[in-house]
Amino acid sequence: MGKYKKYILYSLYLITFVTMVVVAYTTSKYRPESVLVLFTDLSWLGNWPKWLDLPLMPFLNEGFDKLIKEYGMFFEGINNFLLGLYTDMKNFMVGLPWPILMISVIVLCYFVSGRNIGTTIMVAFCVFFLGFLSPRYWDKCIMTTCIVVIGMLLCLVIGIPVGILMARNKKVRNAILPILDLMQTIPSFCYLIPGILLFGLGAVPAIFAIFVYAVPPLIRLTDLGIRLVDKEVVEAAEAFGANKKQKLWGVQLPLALPNIMQGINQCTMMALAMVVIASMIGTRGIGDEVLLGLQQLNVGMATEAGIAIVLLAIIFDRITQSYGEKIQARTHIKKNIKL
Amino acid sequence: MSKIEIKNVYKIFGDQPSKVLPMVKDGATKEEILEKTGHTVGLDDVSLSIEEGETFVCMGLSGSGKSTLIRHINRLIDPTSGEVSVEGTNVMDLDQKQLIEFRRHKMSMVFQRFGLFPHKTVLENVGYGLEIQGQKPEERNKTAMEKIESVGLNGFEHQYPNQLSGGMQQRVGLARALATNTDIMLMDEAFSALDPLIRSDMQKQLIDLQSELKKTIVFITHDLDESLRLGDHIGILNGGRLVQVGTPVEIIMNPADDYVKAFVKDVNRAKVLKAKVIMSSVNEANGVDKSNLIKINEDQFIDEFLPKVVCTNANCEVVDKNGNIKGYITNKELQSSLTKS
């Protein structure tokens, strides 16, 4: 049976391919009057013939139009929700007096890093320099932070469950891996621009872009982390009668945590990188300072804003990293990290 | 009825085991199957029964299918064909929910590389089985503490596994298996990863615990000395086939084939055989020279009385613990039992 399955699959591929060629030929306006001409006039073997052209572009355009027309409400809903969240968060943080916000971040860092004074001092300096570099940067950094945080939350809420599903089921993994490859290799402008069409200008397409760009490493590392958990330990849980839920929450997730935390850290860094690129589609934030500097050929301005972005990255990195380290220290699995 | 009954179990690893099964049943060898179909035969027509309260040792070299066999008993692995019943219930008939209940209450397992949870303390590890059953923390910690004491690890209950030595880690594994108080304990090469001194220590501890608890233990090992020491019955596996089942004495005195012979070749028989096994009974022992006799207990091992015999050049009178004469041992019996066949 298995042997035949393979051949059926191969012939399916072949049929699909042939159909594509036939569709390309029949829909092409450059095709010769009759198929027979192809046998008499062999010039088409020289240069790539114009009729051998897969009509993917009109197909995609139609699909995209349809998507916007028929599911516009759906995207509108997402847009309103995310935009509302972003606006509330941003207004709250911008509304706070800057010293209070600064102290809050430092206190957060202090507790999250397990009362690590060194990390806290470093983060405190970085936070102070955000505004110190240029007073305009403070509010812009808040905007950027809000976008990154919302994008990351979206990544966590979707990425971790997907990673878990992939680790559990080989078929799901085989189906999702190519999608992740696609998300990671496709140039970011290919989804930034459609993002505008779907969500309008501003913060939401940036969040969407962050999701597409930053979720793959999180999914991959969650999947990998769970699969790397010592088989004998998982077997022990099964032998004592753990059900799926107990196995996942009691054994697999805690032991996969170093990898998942690494994934979250990667996710943050990539989100920050994307939010700068997103300034090119009109997302407000520290990225547009860089853009402005480059447009005006003002190297100093661009560099200054670049430094602010690096500082922001350091803050995010330190906070997420040290949180991961703290959890690992608590669970005593630090020694077992395998990468 | 036996506690555990395994009937004609076949296990074939690969994409389409059921297709390969007829070939295996027709008697094709492991190598042929691998070459022709790319499937690996794990178990080939294994049948055995394990009685309540005994220690059954399953022995074989690596790749002989012994770890596969033990995982059939709690269905961590499903057989390709055949039947495994525990206390009369066919394990294959259980649905997912019943299987989980069955694993929780009927049997526990000890692993070769301990299988401890690195993120849980010793106390949490030992209480894991009870936690899974849904017991409250106070209750399960109490039981867990008792078990930790019974394996001699008091004081370490708040340590994490990787802070302990190998021997101590396996004690935790043992305590964890004991904590759920199941009738059946599966031990998969439980002591193989330990160094010799600690291993012998653990064996002794297991024997002591067993004499008290009378559990049904299925013990997997590749070490013949270990199996002779622990086993009431020993099953020897070779290439997925069960080649011989018997008591330690039967295995040593009558090895079934060359494979078993090679196994028992280097065994120190004097340490394994008891006086009552090699003696000739009172009726048979005509003409034994009774002028120079030493008394020995029927349960003594040969190496316990051999030096005495050699020094005094005497014959032995074997008595049971009430002093009744059961038989005699002369040089002839000693010679035949100690000579390698």
Side-chain angles (χ1 to χ4, degrees), chain B residues 3-143:
Chain B
K3 191 84 171 172
I4 302 170
E5 195 111 32
I6 295 172
K7 273 190 212 146
N8 307 101
V9 165
Y10 289 85
K11 176 68 193 178
I12 298 155
F13 295 102
D15 301 332
Q16 296 164 302
S18 50
K19 233 181 148 185
V20 182
L21 185 63
M23 275 176 78
V24 182
K25 282 190 172 169
D26 286 343
T29 66
K30 202 172 170 170
E31 289 76 24
E32 281 170 15
I33 303 271
L34 185 63
E35 195 172 314
K36 277 189 195 155
T37 64
H39 286 60
T40 311
V41 180
L43 293 174
D44 184 353
D45 197 11
V46 173
S47 299
L48 53 86
S49 54
I50 297 166
E51 303 299 326
E52 174 141 25
E54 75 166 339
T55 306
F56 187 94
V57 177
C58 201
M59 204 187 63
L61 299 176
S62 52
S64 61
K66 50 194 192 313
S67 290
T68 310
L69 179 63
I70 203 172
R71 280 166 175 71
H72 278 80
I73 299 173
N74 59 358
R75 230 184 111 186
L76 284 175
I77 298 179
D78 286 354
T80 309
S81 112
E83 201 177 290
V84 179
S85 45
V86 176
E87 293 174 354
T89 338
N90 185 352
V91 183
M92 290 308 294
D93 290 344
L94 302 173
D95 61 28
Q96 197 58 37
K97 221 171 180 181
Q98 288 168 323
L99 180 64
I100 281 172
E101 282 305 305
F102 168 81
R103 285 177 182 160
R104 283 180 188 175
H105 298 289
K106 288 280 183 240
M107 51 184 61
S108 49
M109 194 160 175
V110 183
F111 293 85
Q112 181 176 11
R113 288 180 302 114
F114 322 134
L116 299 176
F117 306 112
H119 60 301
K120 292 177 186 281
T121 61
V122 169
L123 188 67
E124 288 164 344
N125 262 292
V126 174
Y128 183 76
L130 303 171
E131 182 192 334
I132 289 295
Q133 288 175 13
Q135 267 196 22
K136 290 204 180 71
E138 313 89 61
E139 224 176 315
R140 70 172 188 247
N141 284 348
K142 203 175 137 242
T143 320

Side-chain angles (χ1 to χ4, degrees), chain A residues 202 240 304:
Chain A
F240 280 94
E304 205 178 40

Side-chain angles (χ1 to χ4, degrees), chain B residues 117-282:
Chain B
F117 306 112
H119 60 301
K120 292 177 186 281
T121 61
V122 169
L123 188 67
E124 288 164 344
N125 262 292
V126 174
Y128 183 76
L130 303 171
E131 182 192 334
I132 289 295
Q133 288 175 13
Q135 267 196 22
K136 290 204 180 71
E138 313 89 61
E139 224 176 315
R140 70 172 188 247
N141 284 348
K142 203 175 137 242
T143 320
M145 272 314 296
E146 280 169 23
K147 300 301 169 190
I148 288 172
E149 267 166 45
S150 75
V151 296
L153 278 181
N154 0 0
F156 292 96
E157 60 269 14
H158 296 299
Q159 306 260 29
Y160 285 87
N162 60 14
Q163 295 171 299
L164 305 178
S165 69
M168 287 157 105
Q169 288 190 29
Q170 194 55 298
R171 274 169 222 264
V172 178
L174 192 59
R176 181 174 66 176
L178 291 171
T180 47
N181 200 18
T182 52
D183 286 352
I184 301 171
M185 253 169 72
L186 308 176
M187 305 184 74
D188 179 19
E189 301 219 26
F191 304 150
S192 300
L194 306 175
D195 52 53
L197 273 179
I198 294 172
R199 190 188 308 174
S200 133
D201 216 36
M202 293 288 289
Q203 287 165 355
K204 184 163 183 310
Q205 190 162 29
L206 183 66
I207 292 169
D208 292 347
L209 281 169
Q210 171 66 352
S211 67
E212 199 180 305
L213 302 170
K214 296 270 174 252
K215 288 181 186 295
T216 308
I217 299 178
V218 184
F219 196 100
I220 299 284
T221 182
H222 57 245
D223 177 359
L224 187 66
D225 287 327
E226 186 166 71
S227 58
L228 294 172
R229 188 168 180 196
L230 297 173
D232 295 314
H233 282 95
I234 299 173
I236 297 185
L237 278 168
N238 180 20
R241 286 203 180 100
L242 196 61
V243 288
Q244 187 174 12
V245 183
T247 61
V249 174
E250 280 166 9
I251 301 266
I252 288 183
M253 300 305 271
N254 306 306
D257 64 5
D258 291 345
Y259 179 75
V260 185
K261 259 184 207 158
F263 247 126
V264 301
K265 193 179 64 183
D266 296 326
V267 171
N268 183 352
R269 289 155 181 256
K271 274 192 171 162
V272 182
L273 299 177
K274 288 179 175 175
K276 64 178 172 190
V277 176
I278 62 164
M279 72 185 185
S280 25
S281 66
V282 180

